[in-house]
Short mmCIF file of all heavy atoms in Angstrom, two decimals:
data_model
loop_
_atom_site.label_atom_id
_atom_site.label_comp_id
_atom_site.label_asym_id
_atom_site.label_seq_id
_atom_site.Cartn_x
_atom_site.Cartn_y
_atom_site.Cartn_z
N PRO D 1 19.83 -4.12 1.25
CA PRO D 1 20.44 -5.42 1.77
C PRO D 1 19.43 -6.29 2.55
O PRO D 1 19.57 -7.50 2.60
CB PRO D 1 21.68 -5.03 2.54
CG PRO D 1 21.96 -3.58 2.18
CD PRO D 1 20.68 -3.02 1.81
N ASP D 2 18.58 -5.61 3.15
CA ASP D 2 17.51 -6.44 3.95
C ASP D 2 16.41 -7.03 3.15
O ASP D 2 15.50 -7.60 3.77
CB ASP D 2 16.93 -5.41 5.01
CG ASP D 2 18.01 -4.84 5.92
OD1 ASP D 2 19.00 -5.47 6.13
OD2 ASP D 2 17.73 -3.73 6.46
N PHE D 3 16.39 -6.80 1.86
CA PHE D 3 15.22 -7.39 1.05
C PHE D 3 15.38 -8.83 0.97
O PHE D 3 16.50 -9.31 0.70
CB PHE D 3 15.26 -6.71 -0.34
CG PHE D 3 14.20 -7.26 -1.31
CD1 PHE D 3 12.92 -6.70 -1.06
CD2 PHE D 3 14.42 -8.22 -2.16
CE1 PHE D 3 11.91 -7.13 -2.02
CE2 PHE D 3 13.39 -8.70 -3.00
CZ PHE D 3 12.09 -8.09 -2.87
N SER D 4 14.26 -9.56 1.14
CA SER D 4 14.29 -11.02 0.99
C SER D 4 12.91 -11.43 0.43
O SER D 4 11.83 -10.91 0.78
CB SER D 4 14.44 -11.63 2.36
OG SER D 4 14.29 -13.03 2.22
N THR D 5 12.92 -12.42 -0.57
CA THR D 5 11.76 -12.85 -1.14
C THR D 5 10.88 -13.72 -0.11
O THR D 5 9.77 -14.06 -0.46
CB THR D 5 12.06 -13.71 -2.34
OG1 THR D 5 12.96 -14.77 -2.02
CG2 THR D 5 12.67 -12.82 -3.44
N LYS D 6 11.51 -14.08 0.95
CA LYS D 6 10.81 -14.88 1.90
C LYS D 6 9.93 -13.99 2.93
O LYS D 6 8.75 -14.25 3.33
CB LYS D 6 11.77 -15.74 2.83
CG LYS D 6 12.47 -16.78 1.92
CD LYS D 6 13.40 -17.61 2.76
CE LYS D 6 14.03 -18.66 1.85
NZ LYS D 6 14.93 -19.52 2.66
N THR D 7 10.50 -12.81 3.39
CA THR D 7 9.82 -11.92 4.30
C THR D 7 8.93 -10.78 3.59
O THR D 7 8.17 -10.23 4.10
CB THR D 7 10.83 -11.27 5.16
OG1 THR D 7 11.84 -10.57 4.37
CG2 THR D 7 11.55 -12.42 5.98
N PHE D 8 9.34 -10.48 2.27
CA PHE D 8 8.64 -9.43 1.57
C PHE D 8 7.13 -9.70 1.41
O PHE D 8 6.31 -8.72 1.50
CB PHE D 8 9.33 -9.16 0.26
CG PHE D 8 8.67 -7.97 -0.52
CD1 PHE D 8 8.92 -6.68 -0.04
CD2 PHE D 8 7.94 -8.26 -1.57
CE1 PHE D 8 8.35 -5.57 -0.79
CE2 PHE D 8 7.29 -7.19 -2.22
CZ PHE D 8 7.51 -5.88 -1.81
N PRO D 9 6.71 -10.93 1.04
CA PRO D 9 5.28 -11.12 0.83
C PRO D 9 4.39 -10.70 1.97
O PRO D 9 3.32 -10.20 1.80
CB PRO D 9 5.15 -12.61 0.50
CG PRO D 9 6.49 -12.95 -0.03
CD PRO D 9 7.57 -12.20 0.66
N GLU D 10 4.78 -10.90 3.14
CA GLU D 10 3.99 -10.58 4.38
C GLU D 10 3.93 -9.06 4.46
O GLU D 10 2.87 -8.42 4.78
CB GLU D 10 4.58 -11.20 5.64
CG GLU D 10 4.60 -12.70 5.68
CD GLU D 10 5.21 -13.30 6.85
OE1 GLU D 10 5.70 -12.46 7.78
OE2 GLU D 10 5.32 -14.48 7.12
N LYS D 11 5.07 -8.37 4.21
CA LYS D 11 5.05 -6.92 4.25
C LYS D 11 4.17 -6.32 3.15
O LYS D 11 3.46 -5.40 3.36
CB LYS D 11 6.44 -6.39 4.14
CG LYS D 11 6.61 -4.92 4.12
CD LYS D 11 8.17 -4.45 3.93
CE LYS D 11 8.22 -2.92 4.01
NZ LYS D 11 9.62 -2.59 3.77
N ALA D 12 4.30 -6.95 1.92
CA ALA D 12 3.42 -6.56 0.86
C ALA D 12 1.99 -6.65 1.14
O ALA D 12 1.09 -5.90 0.78
CB ALA D 12 3.79 -7.27 -0.40
N GLN D 13 1.55 -7.84 1.81
CA GLN D 13 0.19 -7.98 2.16
C GLN D 13 -0.26 -6.92 3.19
O GLN D 13 -1.43 -6.39 3.07
CB GLN D 13 -0.01 -9.32 2.65
CG GLN D 13 -1.43 -9.76 2.91
CD GLN D 13 -1.62 -11.26 3.32
OE1 GLN D 13 -0.82 -11.73 4.19
NE2 GLN D 13 -2.61 -12.00 2.67
N GLU D 14 0.59 -6.56 4.12
CA GLU D 14 0.16 -5.42 5.05
C GLU D 14 -0.01 -4.11 4.27
O GLU D 14 -1.04 -3.36 4.60
CB GLU D 14 1.27 -5.32 6.02
CG GLU D 14 1.40 -6.53 7.02
CD GLU D 14 2.50 -6.34 8.01
OE1 GLU D 14 3.21 -5.29 7.93
OE2 GLU D 14 2.73 -7.27 8.83
N ILE D 15 0.77 -3.81 3.32
CA ILE D 15 0.65 -2.60 2.55
C ILE D 15 -0.61 -2.71 1.77
O ILE D 15 -1.39 -1.70 1.62
CB ILE D 15 1.80 -2.40 1.57
CG1 ILE D 15 3.18 -2.27 2.41
CG2 ILE D 15 1.62 -1.19 0.69
CD1 ILE D 15 4.40 -2.16 1.57
N PHE D 16 -0.91 -3.83 1.19
CA PHE D 16 -2.13 -3.99 0.41
C PHE D 16 -3.40 -3.73 1.27
O PHE D 16 -4.35 -3.07 0.83
CB PHE D 16 -2.19 -5.49 -0.11
CG PHE D 16 -3.36 -5.85 -0.92
CD1 PHE D 16 -3.58 -5.47 -2.23
CD2 PHE D 16 -4.37 -6.62 -0.23
CE1 PHE D 16 -4.68 -5.84 -2.98
CE2 PHE D 16 -5.56 -6.95 -0.97
CZ PHE D 16 -5.70 -6.57 -2.29
N ILE D 17 -3.36 -4.33 2.49
CA ILE D 17 -4.66 -4.18 3.34
C ILE D 17 -4.70 -2.79 3.90
O ILE D 17 -5.82 -2.10 3.84
CB ILE D 17 -4.49 -5.13 4.56
CG1 ILE D 17 -4.51 -6.60 4.09
CG2 ILE D 17 -5.52 -4.88 5.57
CD1 ILE D 17 -4.17 -7.56 5.21
N GLU D 18 -3.62 -2.03 4.17
CA GLU D 18 -3.71 -0.67 4.67
C GLU D 18 -4.08 0.26 3.55
O GLU D 18 -4.88 1.18 3.78
CB GLU D 18 -2.38 -0.31 5.16
CG GLU D 18 -1.98 -0.95 6.50
CD GLU D 18 -0.69 -0.51 7.10
OE1 GLU D 18 -0.19 0.47 6.54
OE2 GLU D 18 -0.15 -0.99 8.00
N ALA D 19 -3.65 -0.03 2.29
CA ALA D 19 -4.04 0.83 1.21
C ALA D 19 -5.56 0.76 0.97
O ALA D 19 -6.19 1.86 0.70
CB ALA D 19 -3.27 0.46 0.00
N HIS D 20 -6.14 -0.45 1.06
CA HIS D 20 -7.46 -0.56 0.67
C HIS D 20 -8.42 -0.05 1.90
O HIS D 20 -9.44 0.50 1.67
CB HIS D 20 -7.89 -2.04 0.51
CG HIS D 20 -7.38 -2.43 -1.00
ND1 HIS D 20 -6.19 -2.86 -1.29
CD2 HIS D 20 -8.19 -2.73 -2.16
CE1 HIS D 20 -6.12 -3.08 -2.57
NE2 HIS D 20 -7.28 -3.01 -3.11
N ASN D 21 -7.91 -0.15 3.10
CA ASN D 21 -8.64 0.46 4.26
C ASN D 21 -8.64 2.03 4.14
O ASN D 21 -9.63 2.60 4.42
CB ASN D 21 -7.95 -0.01 5.54
CG ASN D 21 -8.38 -1.53 5.87
OD1 ASN D 21 -9.32 -1.97 5.49
ND2 ASN D 21 -7.54 -2.15 6.66
N SER D 22 -7.42 2.47 3.72
CA SER D 22 -7.40 3.96 3.60
C SER D 22 -8.33 4.42 2.40
O SER D 22 -8.98 5.49 2.47
CB SER D 22 -5.98 4.41 3.20
OG SER D 22 -5.11 4.07 4.27
N LEU D 23 -8.46 3.67 1.36
CA LEU D 23 -9.36 3.94 0.28
C LEU D 23 -10.84 3.91 0.72
O LEU D 23 -11.66 4.74 0.46
CB LEU D 23 -9.17 2.99 -0.85
CG LEU D 23 -10.10 3.11 -2.07
CD1 LEU D 23 -9.96 4.50 -2.82
CD2 LEU D 23 -9.91 2.05 -2.98
N ALA D 24 -11.17 2.90 1.54
CA ALA D 24 -12.54 2.81 2.07
C ALA D 24 -12.93 3.92 3.03
O ALA D 24 -14.01 4.45 3.06
CB ALA D 24 -12.79 1.48 2.74
N ASN D 25 -11.88 4.39 3.79
CA ASN D 25 -12.07 5.47 4.75
C ASN D 25 -11.79 6.87 4.15
O ASN D 25 -11.85 7.86 4.92
CB ASN D 25 -11.17 5.28 6.03
CG ASN D 25 -11.54 4.02 6.70
OD1 ASN D 25 -12.67 3.47 6.74
ND2 ASN D 25 -10.51 3.37 7.28
N PHE D 26 -11.50 7.01 2.91
CA PHE D 26 -11.13 8.19 2.19
C PHE D 26 -10.07 8.95 2.92
O PHE D 26 -10.08 10.26 3.02
CB PHE D 26 -12.39 9.11 2.05
CG PHE D 26 -13.45 8.46 1.25
CD1 PHE D 26 -14.50 7.74 1.73
CD2 PHE D 26 -13.35 8.48 -0.19
CE1 PHE D 26 -15.49 7.23 0.99
CE2 PHE D 26 -14.32 8.04 -1.02
CZ PHE D 26 -15.40 7.35 -0.42
N ASN D 27 -9.05 8.26 3.37
CA ASN D 27 -7.82 8.90 3.92
C ASN D 27 -6.71 9.18 2.78
O ASN D 27 -5.92 8.17 2.53
CB ASN D 27 -7.26 7.96 5.13
CG ASN D 27 -6.25 8.66 5.90
OD1 ASN D 27 -5.69 9.76 5.55
ND2 ASN D 27 -5.87 8.03 7.01
N LYS D 28 -6.86 10.29 2.12
CA LYS D 28 -5.99 10.46 1.03
C LYS D 28 -4.49 10.56 1.38
O LYS D 28 -3.61 10.22 0.71
CB LYS D 28 -6.47 11.74 0.33
CG LYS D 28 -7.87 11.67 -0.23
CD LYS D 28 -8.25 12.97 -0.94
CE LYS D 28 -9.58 12.87 -1.58
NZ LYS D 28 -9.96 14.04 -2.27
N GLN D 29 -4.17 11.22 2.57
CA GLN D 29 -2.83 11.42 2.91
C GLN D 29 -2.11 10.18 3.12
O GLN D 29 -0.95 9.85 2.65
CB GLN D 29 -2.76 12.36 4.19
CG GLN D 29 -3.11 13.73 3.95
CD GLN D 29 -3.11 14.57 5.17
OE1 GLN D 29 -2.66 14.02 6.27
NE2 GLN D 29 -3.39 15.83 5.05
N LYS D 30 -2.79 9.21 3.80
CA LYS D 30 -2.10 7.84 4.04
C LYS D 30 -2.09 7.01 2.80
O LYS D 30 -1.11 6.27 2.57
CB LYS D 30 -2.87 7.14 5.18
CG LYS D 30 -2.26 5.93 5.68
CD LYS D 30 -2.97 5.22 6.87
CE LYS D 30 -2.32 4.04 7.33
NZ LYS D 30 -2.95 3.46 8.52
N LEU D 31 -3.09 7.20 1.97
CA LEU D 31 -3.16 6.44 0.69
C LEU D 31 -1.92 6.88 -0.19
O LEU D 31 -1.41 6.02 -0.88
CB LEU D 31 -4.48 6.60 -0.08
CG LEU D 31 -4.71 5.84 -1.32
CD1 LEU D 31 -4.72 4.33 -0.91
CD2 LEU D 31 -6.02 6.22 -1.88
N HIS D 32 -1.63 8.14 -0.13
CA HIS D 32 -0.46 8.59 -1.03
C HIS D 32 0.88 8.00 -0.58
O HIS D 32 1.69 7.83 -1.38
CB HIS D 32 -0.36 10.11 -0.92
CG HIS D 32 -1.15 10.81 -2.02
ND1 HIS D 32 -0.90 10.68 -3.32
CD2 HIS D 32 -2.24 11.60 -1.86
CE1 HIS D 32 -1.74 11.49 -4.00
NE2 HIS D 32 -2.56 12.01 -3.16
N SER D 33 1.01 7.67 0.72
CA SER D 33 2.17 7.04 1.27
C SER D 33 2.21 5.56 0.98
O SER D 33 3.28 5.00 1.16
CB SER D 33 2.32 7.40 2.75
OG SER D 33 1.22 6.78 3.40
N LEU D 34 1.15 4.96 0.57
CA LEU D 34 1.11 3.55 0.39
C LEU D 34 1.03 3.10 -1.07
O LEU D 34 1.32 2.01 -1.29
CB LEU D 34 -0.11 2.93 1.21
CG LEU D 34 -0.15 3.12 2.62
CD1 LEU D 34 -1.49 2.71 3.24
CD2 LEU D 34 0.95 2.22 3.34
N VAL D 35 0.61 4.00 -1.93
CA VAL D 35 0.43 3.70 -3.26
C VAL D 35 1.34 4.69 -4.17
O VAL D 35 1.55 5.84 -3.64
CB VAL D 35 -0.91 3.65 -3.87
CG1 VAL D 35 -1.69 2.67 -3.05
CG2 VAL D 35 -1.58 5.03 -3.74
N THR D 36 1.78 4.41 -5.35
CA THR D 36 2.44 5.38 -6.16
C THR D 36 1.53 6.36 -6.86
O THR D 36 0.33 6.18 -6.93
CB THR D 36 3.29 4.49 -7.23
OG1 THR D 36 2.40 3.79 -8.06
CG2 THR D 36 4.21 3.62 -6.56
N GLU D 37 2.26 7.29 -7.46
CA GLU D 37 1.44 8.25 -8.27
C GLU D 37 0.69 7.70 -9.42
O GLU D 37 -0.20 8.33 -9.93
CB GLU D 37 2.29 9.52 -8.70
CG GLU D 37 2.72 10.37 -7.58
CD GLU D 37 3.81 9.76 -6.63
OE1 GLU D 37 4.37 8.65 -6.98
OE2 GLU D 37 3.95 10.28 -5.51
N ARG D 38 1.23 6.67 -9.95
CA ARG D 38 0.42 6.04 -11.09
C ARG D 38 -0.72 5.19 -10.64
O ARG D 38 -1.79 5.15 -11.30
CB ARG D 38 1.44 5.04 -11.79
CG ARG D 38 0.77 4.23 -12.91
CD ARG D 38 1.70 3.06 -13.39
NE ARG D 38 1.10 2.19 -14.37
CZ ARG D 38 0.37 1.12 -14.07
NH1 ARG D 38 0.14 0.76 -12.81
NH2 ARG D 38 -0.25 0.49 -15.10
N CYS D 39 -0.64 4.59 -9.40
CA CYS D 39 -1.72 3.80 -8.88
C CYS D 39 -2.84 4.53 -8.28
O CYS D 39 -4.02 4.11 -8.24
CB CYS D 39 -1.12 2.80 -7.96
SG CYS D 39 -2.32 1.59 -7.25
N TYR D 40 -2.51 5.67 -7.81
CA TYR D 40 -3.54 6.50 -7.00
C TYR D 40 -4.66 6.96 -7.85
O TYR D 40 -5.83 6.73 -7.41
CB TYR D 40 -2.78 7.74 -6.47
CG TYR D 40 -3.80 8.69 -5.62
CD1 TYR D 40 -4.02 8.31 -4.30
CD2 TYR D 40 -4.39 9.79 -6.12
CE1 TYR D 40 -4.86 9.10 -3.49
CE2 TYR D 40 -5.19 10.49 -5.37
CZ TYR D 40 -5.45 10.15 -4.13
OH TYR D 40 -6.34 10.96 -3.34
N PRO D 41 -4.46 7.46 -9.11
CA PRO D 41 -5.70 7.81 -9.91
C PRO D 41 -6.53 6.65 -10.23
O PRO D 41 -7.75 6.71 -10.31
CB PRO D 41 -5.09 8.37 -11.18
CG PRO D 41 -3.73 8.88 -10.81
CD PRO D 41 -3.27 7.85 -9.72
N ASP D 42 -5.96 5.43 -10.48
CA ASP D 42 -6.79 4.28 -10.74
C ASP D 42 -7.61 3.85 -9.58
O ASP D 42 -8.71 3.22 -9.78
CB ASP D 42 -5.85 3.10 -11.26
CG ASP D 42 -5.04 3.41 -12.46
OD1 ASP D 42 -5.51 4.34 -13.22
OD2 ASP D 42 -4.01 2.87 -12.72
N MET D 43 -7.13 4.10 -8.36
CA MET D 43 -7.88 3.65 -7.19
C MET D 43 -9.01 4.53 -6.77
O MET D 43 -10.12 4.12 -6.36
CB MET D 43 -6.94 3.42 -6.03
CG MET D 43 -5.97 2.31 -6.20
SD MET D 43 -5.02 2.05 -4.66
CE MET D 43 -6.14 1.40 -3.56
#
């Protein structure tokens, strides 16, 4: 019920930034919590 197309883009951008920072720092545990099992091998 809390989902909104107005507030979700900012949350999505935060997930996007944290995922790429975890990839650059080779933090696999945090990266698994931010990306799906389909996206992880591609990254």
